[in-house]
Amino acid sequence: MSDPELDRIRARLAADGNHSHTSLKFQDDLLFYATKFAAHGNCIIEVGSWKGGLSAQFAYLARKLGQRFVVIDNNATYLEYARAAVEATGAGDSTSFHLGDFQSFAVTADPEIRPTLVLIDADHHYDAVAADIRTLYAMTSRPYAAAFHDFSLRYSTPELSNVRVDRALIDAFGEDFQHIKIGEVAAPGGPTLQITPQPDGHYHELGYSEGVLINCQTAIPKRNANPAPVACIHLQQ
C-alpha cells in the first residue's frame, strides 16, 4: 500500500521492536480488505495482539475510515504492548482495549457495533479457533468478514500437533469452503514462511496460504460443526 503515514507508523514500530511478525503482504491484504468492506460495518476487531504491530496499523486505518477499532487479548502484558504501540504511533483516537477472550468481549459488546472485519490471531489450537468461529456467528451483529492468520502453520512436535487453524475452519465450513487467500503462500525460499521445521518445531505447509479471509454473510458453519455452547450471546436472527 502506498501511504506515507502508514510507512511512518511501520518504521516507528520497527524502531521500537514492535513490528508485526506477519508478512508485509498479509498486512497489506488485511488493510486492503478492511478498506474495501468499510461500507458494511463500523468497527474493526483484532483478536490477539501480541506486541501491537498490526494494532497500530488497524488503529490508523480505523481513524482514517471513521470506524471504531477494538483490540482483544487475554494476556494483560500483550494488551499493554498493543496499547503502547498504538499510543506511540499516535493512531489511537478511535481505539479501545478489552482484556479477555473473544467470547467475553462479545457478551458485553456495545450493541451498536457492526464489525466490518474481525482478525482472529490468538490461540491457534484447534479448540480455541473453533470457539472463536462459534463466537463470530453468535454475535448480535454478525461480522461482514473474518480473517484467520497462520492457516498454514504446523508443528513437528507432538505436543503442538493440535495447532491447526486450517482444520478448525474445514471442520466448521467443509473441505471446499469458500475463502480468499491472504498473505504469503508457503514455498521454498519464501521470505517469511519457513517450510522446514525450525528449532521450536514450527513450519508452514507447502502450498498453503499464511491466512484466509471468509465472508461471514455467505459462509455459514455446518450444523453441529465444532459443537459447544457459546453462552450468553444473543444469536443473530
Side-chain angles (χ1 to χ4, degrees):
M1 297 183 69
S2 179
D3 184 326
E5 179 61 10
L6 181 61
D7 291 342
R8 182 195 68 79
I9 289 170
R10 285 174 170 172
R12 174 62 188 268
L13 290 167
D16 291 346
N18 292 333
H19 61 286
S20 174
H21 283 234
T22 64
S23 72
L24 185 59
K25 185 177 188 312
F26 184 80
Q27 298 167 49
D28 285 346
D29 286 349
L30 284 177
L31 300 181
F32 170 79
Y33 284 109
T35 302
K36 181 177 181 179
F37 299 152
H40 297 285
N42 60 15
C43 182
I44 299 168
I45 298 173
E46 179 186 30
V47 182
S49 62
W50 202 48
K51 288 194 172 183
L54 275 170
S55 307
Q57 297 180 58
F58 271 140
Y60 162 67
L61 183 66
R63 184 180 65 186
K64 184 177 177 181
L65 296 174
Q67 299 213 355
R68 298 165 67 175
F69 173 50
V70 180
V71 185
I72 302 169
D73 206 297
N74 61 9
N75 183 302
T77 299
Y78 290 160
L79 198 66
E80 285 308 308
Y81 280 141
R83 190 191 305 273
V86 170
E87 290 177 354
T89 54
D93 295 353
S94 58
T95 301
S96 59
F97 299 85
H98 175 81
L99 178 60
D101 61 13
F102 187 20
Q103 180 178 333
S104 70
F105 166 77
V107 169
T108 59
D110 182 343
E112 298 301 314
I113 283 180
R114 294 182 295 109
T116 304
L117 175 67
V118 178
L119 170 62
I120 304 294
D121 192 16
D123 186 341
H124 295 328
H125 286 84
Y126 177 97
D127 289 345
V129 179
D132 286 338
I133 293 170
R134 290 192 298 269
T135 299
L136 280 172
Y137 286 84
M139 294 186 75
T140 301
S141 179
R142 183 188 300 169
Y144 182 77
F148 294 79
H149 188 233
D150 280 332
F151 185 74
S152 56
L153 179 63
R154 310 286 184 267
Y155 278 87
S156 60
T157 50
E159 62 271 19
L160 291 174
S161 62
N162 205 30
V163 171
R164 291 297 299 260
V165 175
D166 66 316
R167 181 48 56 190
L169 284 162
I170 289 168
D171 285 352
F173 298 103
E175 195 73 35
D176 298 319
F177 75 98
Q178 292 189 342
H179 63 275
I180 297 170
K181 294 180 178 180
I182 55 177
E184 290 182 11
V185 173
T192 305
L193 308 184
Q194 303 299 317
I195 63 171
T196 56
Q198 301 303 292
D200 65 354
H202 93 272
Y203 67 99
H204 291 265
E205 187 165 346
L206 182 67
Y208 278 67
S209 59
E210 180 180 2
V212 295
L213 182 142
I214 62 171
N215 182 328
C216 298
Q217 306 304 303
T218 58
I220 306 301
K222 297 183 296 182
R223 195 167 198 173
N224 298 323
N226 303 321
V230 179
C232 304
I233 304 177
H234 299 295
L235 295 176
Q236 173 84 2
Q237 298 298 316

